[in-house]
mmCIF file of all heavy atoms in Angstrom:
data_model
loop_
_atom_site.group_PDB
_atom_site.id
_atom_site.type_symbol
_atom_site.label_atom_id
_atom_site.label_comp_id
_atom_site.label_asym_id
_atom_site.label_seq_id
_atom_site.Cartn_x
_atom_site.Cartn_y
_atom_site.Cartn_z
ATOM 1 N N HIS A 84 -8.413 19.180 13.343
ATOM 2 C CA HIS A 84 -9.674 19.626 13.902
ATOM 3 C C HIS A 84 -9.863 21.112 13.601
ATOM 4 O O HIS A 84 -8.934 21.921 13.773
ATOM 5 C CB HIS A 84 -9.712 19.366 15.412
ATOM 6 C CG HIS A 84 -9.490 17.933 15.767
ATOM 7 N ND1 HIS A 84 -10.352 16.924 15.360
ATOM 8 C CD2 HIS A 84 -8.502 17.325 16.473
ATOM 9 C CE1 HIS A 84 -9.910 15.756 15.806
ATOM 10 N NE2 HIS A 84 -8.792 15.968 16.479
ATOM 11 N N LEU A 85 -11.067 21.434 13.148
ATOM 12 C CA LEU A 85 -11.383 22.782 12.689
ATOM 13 C C LEU A 85 -12.487 23.380 13.544
ATOM 14 O O LEU A 85 -13.508 22.722 13.784
ATOM 15 C CB LEU A 85 -11.836 22.733 11.224
ATOM 16 C CG LEU A 85 -10.994 21.869 10.274
ATOM 17 C CD1 LEU A 85 -11.687 21.758 8.915
ATOM 18 C CD2 LEU A 85 -9.603 22.437 10.141
ATOM 19 N N HIS A 86 -12.301 24.609 13.974
ATOM 20 C CA HIS A 86 -13.310 25.258 14.815
ATOM 21 C C HIS A 86 -13.254 26.760 14.606
ATOM 22 O O HIS A 86 -12.175 27.355 14.617
ATOM 23 C CB HIS A 86 -13.067 24.909 16.281
ATOM 24 C CG HIS A 86 -13.963 25.666 17.219
ATOM 25 N ND1 HIS A 86 -15.353 25.643 17.109
ATOM 26 C CD2 HIS A 86 -13.687 26.473 18.261
ATOM 27 C CE1 HIS A 86 -15.870 26.392 18.065
ATOM 28 N NE2 HIS A 86 -14.895 26.908 18.777
ATOM 29 N N ALA A 87 -14.424 27.351 14.406
ATOM 30 C CA ALA A 87 -14.529 28.807 14.248
ATOM 31 C C ALA A 87 -13.677 29.316 13.099
ATOM 32 O O ALA A 87 -12.945 30.311 13.250
ATOM 33 C CB ALA A 87 -14.170 29.508 15.560
ATOM 34 N N LEU A 88 -13.765 28.629 11.964
ATOM 35 C CA LEU A 88 -12.972 29.047 10.814
ATOM 36 C C LEU A 88 -13.570 30.285 10.156
ATOM 37 O O LEU A 88 -14.741 30.633 10.370
ATOM 38 C CB LEU A 88 -12.880 27.915 9.803
ATOM 39 C CG LEU A 88 -12.116 26.663 10.230
ATOM 40 C CD1 LEU A 88 -11.831 25.784 9.016
ATOM 41 C CD2 LEU A 88 -10.843 26.997 10.956
ATOM 42 N N GLN A 89 -12.742 30.919 9.351
ATOM 43 C CA GLN A 89 -13.128 32.102 8.593
ATOM 44 C C GLN A 89 -13.245 31.754 7.111
ATOM 45 O O GLN A 89 -12.609 30.809 6.644
ATOM 46 C CB GLN A 89 -12.080 33.205 8.790
ATOM 47 C CG GLN A 89 -11.809 33.574 10.238
ATOM 48 C CD GLN A 89 -13.038 34.160 10.891
ATOM 49 O OE1 GLN A 89 -13.663 35.059 10.335
ATOM 50 N NE2 GLN A 89 -13.395 33.647 12.067
ATOM 51 N N PRO A 90 -14.002 32.532 6.357
ATOM 52 C CA PRO A 90 -14.105 32.250 4.904
ATOM 53 C C PRO A 90 -12.740 32.195 4.215
ATOM 54 O O PRO A 90 -12.557 31.411 3.274
ATOM 55 C CB PRO A 90 -14.962 33.412 4.387
ATOM 56 C CG PRO A 90 -15.819 33.781 5.553
ATOM 57 C CD PRO A 90 -14.950 33.589 6.765
ATOM 58 N N GLU A 91 -11.772 32.957 4.686
ATOM 59 C CA GLU A 91 -10.450 32.948 4.040
ATOM 60 C C GLU A 91 -9.675 31.666 4.311
ATOM 61 O O GLU A 91 -8.604 31.438 3.713
ATOM 62 C CB GLU A 91 -9.607 34.153 4.484
ATOM 63 C CG GLU A 91 -9.368 34.248 5.969
ATOM 64 C CD GLU A 91 -10.367 35.175 6.661
ATOM 65 O OE1 GLU A 91 -11.516 35.302 6.166
ATOM 66 O OE2 GLU A 91 -9.989 35.749 7.705
ATOM 67 N N ASP A 92 -10.208 30.806 5.172
ATOM 68 C CA ASP A 92 -9.590 29.506 5.407
ATOM 69 C C ASP A 92 -10.004 28.481 4.357
ATOM 70 O O ASP A 92 -9.495 27.353 4.350
ATOM 71 C CB ASP A 92 -9.963 28.969 6.791
ATOM 72 C CG ASP A 92 -9.426 29.833 7.917
ATOM 73 O OD1 ASP A 92 -8.285 30.329 7.805
ATOM 74 O OD2 ASP A 92 -10.158 30.019 8.912
ATOM 75 N N SER A 93 -10.919 28.864 3.482
ATOM 76 C CA SER A 93 -11.323 27.975 2.386
ATOM 77 C C SER A 93 -10.107 27.694 1.517
ATOM 78 O O SER A 93 -9.405 28.615 1.075
ATOM 79 C CB SER A 93 -12.411 28.628 1.545
ATOM 80 O OG SER A 93 -13.555 28.860 2.315
ATOM 81 N N ALA A 94 -9.843 26.410 1.291
ATOM 82 C CA ALA A 94 -8.635 26.006 0.564
ATOM 83 C C ALA A 94 -8.658 24.498 0.383
ATOM 84 O O ALA A 94 -9.550 23.801 0.884
ATOM 85 C CB ALA A 94 -7.373 26.408 1.328
ATOM 86 N N LEU A 95 -7.652 23.999 -0.308
ATOM 87 C CA LEU A 95 -7.394 22.563 -0.394
ATOM 88 C C LEU A 95 -6.401 22.219 0.715
ATOM 89 O O LEU A 95 -5.341 22.843 0.821
ATOM 90 C CB LEU A 95 -6.812 22.210 -1.756
ATOM 91 C CG LEU A 95 -6.495 20.729 -2.018
ATOM 92 C CD1 LEU A 95 -7.770 19.901 -2.104
ATOM 93 C CD2 LEU A 95 -5.682 20.588 -3.314
ATOM 94 N N TYR A 96 -6.758 21.247 1.549
ATOM 95 C CA TYR A 96 -5.869 20.841 2.633
ATOM 96 C C TYR A 96 -5.256 19.494 2.270
ATOM 97 O O TYR A 96 -5.959 18.503 2.079
ATOM 98 C CB TYR A 96 -6.615 20.796 3.961
ATOM 99 C CG TYR A 96 -6.912 22.199 4.445
ATOM 100 C CD1 TYR A 96 -8.025 22.888 3.982
ATOM 101 C CD2 TYR A 96 -6.041 22.851 5.303
ATOM 102 C CE1 TYR A 96 -8.276 24.193 4.379
ATOM 103 C CE2 TYR A 96 -6.278 24.163 5.707
ATOM 104 C CZ TYR A 96 -7.385 24.819 5.222
ATOM 105 O OH TYR A 96 -7.623 26.126 5.607
ATOM 106 N N LEU A 97 -3.950 19.503 2.163
ATOM 107 C CA LEU A 97 -3.203 18.321 1.743
ATOM 108 C C LEU A 97 -2.471 17.706 2.924
ATOM 109 O O LEU A 97 -1.889 18.407 3.741
ATOM 110 C CB LEU A 97 -2.168 18.695 0.674
ATOM 111 C CG LEU A 97 -2.703 19.185 -0.661
ATOM 112 C CD1 LEU A 97 -1.585 19.805 -1.488
ATOM 113 C CD2 LEU A 97 -3.351 18.051 -1.429
ATOM 114 N N CYS A 98 -2.513 16.407 2.966
ATOM 115 C CA CYS A 98 -1.747 15.643 3.946
ATOM 116 C C CYS A 98 -0.607 14.948 3.200
ATOM 117 O O CYS A 98 -0.754 14.578 2.026
ATOM 118 C CB CYS A 98 -2.655 14.621 4.614
ATOM 119 S SG CYS A 98 -1.823 13.471 5.726
ATOM 120 N N ALA A 99 0.513 14.780 3.853
ATOM 121 C CA ALA A 99 1.644 14.061 3.265
ATOM 122 C C ALA A 99 2.313 13.222 4.335
ATOM 123 O O ALA A 99 2.146 13.471 5.535
ATOM 124 C CB ALA A 99 2.643 15.028 2.636
#
Side-chain angles (χ1 to χ4, degrees):
Chain A
H84 303 297
L85 314 172
H86 173 55
L88 294 194
Q89 304 296 311
E91 58 264 29
D92 296 321
S93 298
L95 180 68
Y96 287 84
L97 294 167
C98 174

